[in-house]
Amino acid sequence: MSSYPVQMDQKVEIKDFFDPVSNTITYVVTDPETKACAVVDSVMDIDYPAGRISFEHADEIIEYIRSNGLKLEWLLETHVHADHLSAAPYIQEKLGGKIGIGEQVTVVQGVFGKVFNAGTEFARDGSQFDKLFQDGDTYQIGNLRCFAMHTPGHTPACMVHVIGDAAFVGDTLFMPDSGTARADFPGGDASVLYDSIHKVLSLPDEMRLFMCHDYGANGRDILFETTVAAEKNENIHVGNSTSREKFVEMREARDATLDMPNLIVPSIQVNMRAGRLPEAENESGQTYLKVPVNVL
């Protein structure tokens, strides 16, 4: 993709943090020259049956950044997640940095603002975030020149972030033996997802790809790093030049069998607000998460 400023000679340091509850991998991405860093797809802990949130996972990331003398510049969300809650505001309060997401978050906010009856006090203009990325936008992490690729299909706001020789693909792709993400959420589209995947696969073959989730397919250990070449050749859903028609048929049939993610109700309400809870509803400061009946 000549229109994107790929810089494979820029090597980045990447530290992974795995959350076994949501099978999410969070990354701290560091410029080794300046010690500037970004956090990609952080996780806030929730005991859903008890309605309690906590920040053990985020505190581990904060400690890593502090103990290594890093400066946090960005908190990146690859999309509005439906399977875990973002801890971006909590980390930002402790360490600074800007929270960024794709500009089509406004579409997601429009759809789910209605689903959750969020009311007129809930802004649907993306103003909860510090930066709304457009396709091809560039930004810096220290001396690293980074860019965002709009990759809709799973959700309208999905963005792949390319940082030096590494790309953080969100849910656009999984490991080769696990295929691709579902495309049946509101605003999702299997045909659009196919195009987005091939946009990613047009990056250099040696580009490192980092997954947002892994579920240990067929009982193997958790894996989260692969390459463009491996996805092209081995991905069970799109590898070996799988046609659009075959992919869409497979994806739509598979999606029809899938249950909703366990944490979709709290996750979207929080993540469409950039990781913040809804406004308090009484003088004691109590906040509530709503469960829409017969909607999802």
Side-chain angles (χ1 to χ4, degrees), residues 105-156:
V105 68
T106 57
V107 176
V108 178
Q109 289 175 330
V111 170
F112 285 101
K114 293 178 181 178
V115 168
F116 292 106
N117 195 29
T120 56
E121 67 275 11
F122 170 56
R124 293 156 170 83
D125 59 1
S127 57
Q128 301 88 346
F129 299 84
D130 300 309
K131 172 66 176 179
L132 301 183
F133 290 102
Q134 298 181 8
D135 184 53
D137 275 355
T138 61
Y139 59 99
Q140 297 286 134
I141 302 172
N143 292 334
L144 297 174
R145 189 182 183 195
C146 319
F147 65 90
M149 298 174 65
H150 187 211
T151 53
H154 174 59
T155 79

Side-chain angles (χ1 to χ4, degrees), residues 167-182:
F168 299 85
V169 300
D171 287 359
T172 302
L173 281 165
F174 292 148
M175 292 297 292
D177 63 356
S178 300
T180 60
R182 65 196 299 165

